[in-house]
Amino acid sequence: MARRGDSGGDAVRWRVRGRSRLSRDEQPAWTRALAEGDDAGFFGPGSAVWAVNGALPTLAAGIRALLLQTLHPGAMAGVAEWSRYNEDPLGRLDGTIRWVATTTFGDRRQAAAASAHVSRLHERVTGTYTDAAGAPRPYAANDQHLLRWVHDAFTEAFLGAHLTWGGRIPGGADAYVREWAQAGRLMGVVDPPENAAELRAELAGYLAEAKVDDRVREALRFLRRPGLPGLTGRLYPMLFAGAVASLPAEVRELLGLRRPWWPAITTTRLLLAGGTLVLGRMSPSERNARSRIARLAAAQRAAAPPPGLTRPDPPAGTGAPAGAAAP
């Protein structure tokens, strides 16, 4: 769950249509704020997280993550009973984009604050659900078991989408899982997986708890046709089909989804390539983060004494004052 920040419509236009066209003044306030801050953040340029979360395949990755997350009955109960996803899909999209971008590109204070905000929203998300064996169970959005499931599903979805449609990941898949584990820790996950093998093993355990019921089927119908406006709405069916096709076969089978008969992976690749040409390779969030890091580096250089103004302290007994100016 996530609360609306700037309008959901603005979020969609920023992320899809105006990725490289909005001036800084036209960007949402939280995006502009990424240019502020006191450090490079938890990741930074050259990281696996920047390579994956800053690339255009995230458009399909978000759909992939939502499809996967529906399989856990506890998580699905929280969404069905507490989220307004079917009434306000753009608002929910805005909240998710804001958390991902701030955690990825913000400084450490901003990333921690964004995660704490989401955790506070989740405090009231509690209830009961019926598990796959038919037994009633309590749930809480901040429960360790559900937090871990959401983190693992997100990590798998974004990594899987990038391996399907993205470029090289610095350090490979293991580096992304290890780095993004920090986002899980910020959300309260204890000892999140730190390599791809650990992630796969955890997900296999969760999938043993999977349950598909009317709530899941309703969510799938919505995800197939969320009613997004304009160009986004016209392109979305291709992204949805690509996300479905990119899922592991066992996940599609659990969800009751068929791989499209047409080449959805290739079509999505062409769509994302065209989007990159039109929108650019770098999002406003990354540009603002790079601006912050460049500002901090310039300030550090300005604070450093010019070379040659000081020399090492002389050996003891020479009588020269310590730190004397060089001639």
Side-chain angles (χ1 to χ4, degrees):
M1 257 179 72
R3 180 182 299 166
R4 291 183 67 144
D6 300 275
S7 74
D10 286 346
V12 173
R13 285 190 292 272
W14 160 72
R15 185 66 177 146
V16 181
R17 191 185 71 193
R19 179 182 172 102
S20 63
R21 298 292 182 248
L22 294 182
S23 70
R24 192 168 184 276
D25 289 342
E26 293 175 304
Q27 296 167 16
W30 64 264
T31 309
R32 297 195 303 272
L34 298 177
E36 309 302 324
D38 301 320
D39 56 60
F42 286 103
F43 310 111
S47 67
V49 166
W50 273 37
V52 172
N53 293 5
L56 213 57
T58 55
L59 296 175
I63 303 168
R64 203 173 187 265
L66 292 173
L67 289 168
L68 184 55
Q69 288 172 16
T70 64
L71 283 172
H72 194 285
M76 195 63 239
V79 170
E81 294 171 6
W82 291 94
S83 173
R84 295 183 297 121
Y85 74 90
N86 53 350
E87 301 172 10
D88 184 20
L90 296 183
R92 194 168 194 273
L93 175 63
D94 175 55
T96 302
I97 290 171
R98 180 172 182 168
W99 177 77
V100 173
T102 303
T103 305
T104 299
F105 295 113
D107 74 349
R108 295 189 174 211
R109 179 190 58 78
Q110 290 170 327
S115 298
H117 174 70
V118 174
S119 294
R120 286 193 299 273
L121 293 178
H122 285 172
E123 287 175 356
R124 62 194 180 99
V125 180
T126 60
T128 59
Y129 71 96
T130 303
D131 68 14
R137 292 184 178 274
Y139 74 83
N142 283 335
D143 172 78
Q144 185 63 212
H145 191 64
L146 290 185
L147 283 176
R148 197 176 197 87
W149 162 248
V150 172
H151 171 76
D152 286 0
F154 178 100
T155 306
E156 191 283 336
F158 274 59
L159 176 60
H162 198 85
L163 291 174
T164 303
W165 295 294
R168 187 184 70 87
I169 302 174
D174 285 346
Y176 180 74
V177 176
R178 182 180 63 254
E179 290 177 16
W180 191 243
Q182 178 58 42
R185 286 188 285 269
L186 289 173
M187 290 300 303
V189 179
V190 177
D191 295 328
E194 299 220 4
N195 60 59
E198 290 180 1
L199 177 65
R200 287 193 297 269
E202 283 199 3
L203 284 170
Y206 275 110
L207 290 179
E209 305 173 24
K211 174 188 173 184
V212 175
D213 56 14
D214 288 342
R215 283 174 166 173
V216 174
R217 285 185 281 272
E218 180 183 352
L220 293 179
R221 284 193 295 271
F222 174 80
L223 288 171
R224 190 184 295 275
R225 295 182 181 85
L228 296 174
L231 179 61
T232 306
R234 293 192 291 275
L235 297 178
Y236 179 87
M238 287 182 277
L239 291 172
F240 178 84
V244 170
S246 74
L247 286 170
E250 62 270 24
V251 173
R252 284 200 305 271
E253 184 176 352
L254 285 168
L255 290 168
L257 296 172
R258 294 182 179 180
R259 186 182 178 116
W261 62 265
W262 47 278
I265 296 289
T266 300
T267 301
T268 301
R269 179 174 292 112
L270 294 172
L271 174 62
L272 294 174
T276 300
L277 288 174
V278 173
L279 305 172
R281 292 186 176 275
M282 189 179 297
S283 71
S285 293
E286 182 174 345
R287 282 200 299 272
N288 287 331
R290 288 182 179 275
S291 173
R292 179 186 77 248
I293 292 168
R295 171 177 56 79
L296 293 171
Q300 187 176 33
R301 289 193 299 270
L309 287 186
T310 61
R311 64 186 180 191
D313 291 346
T318 63

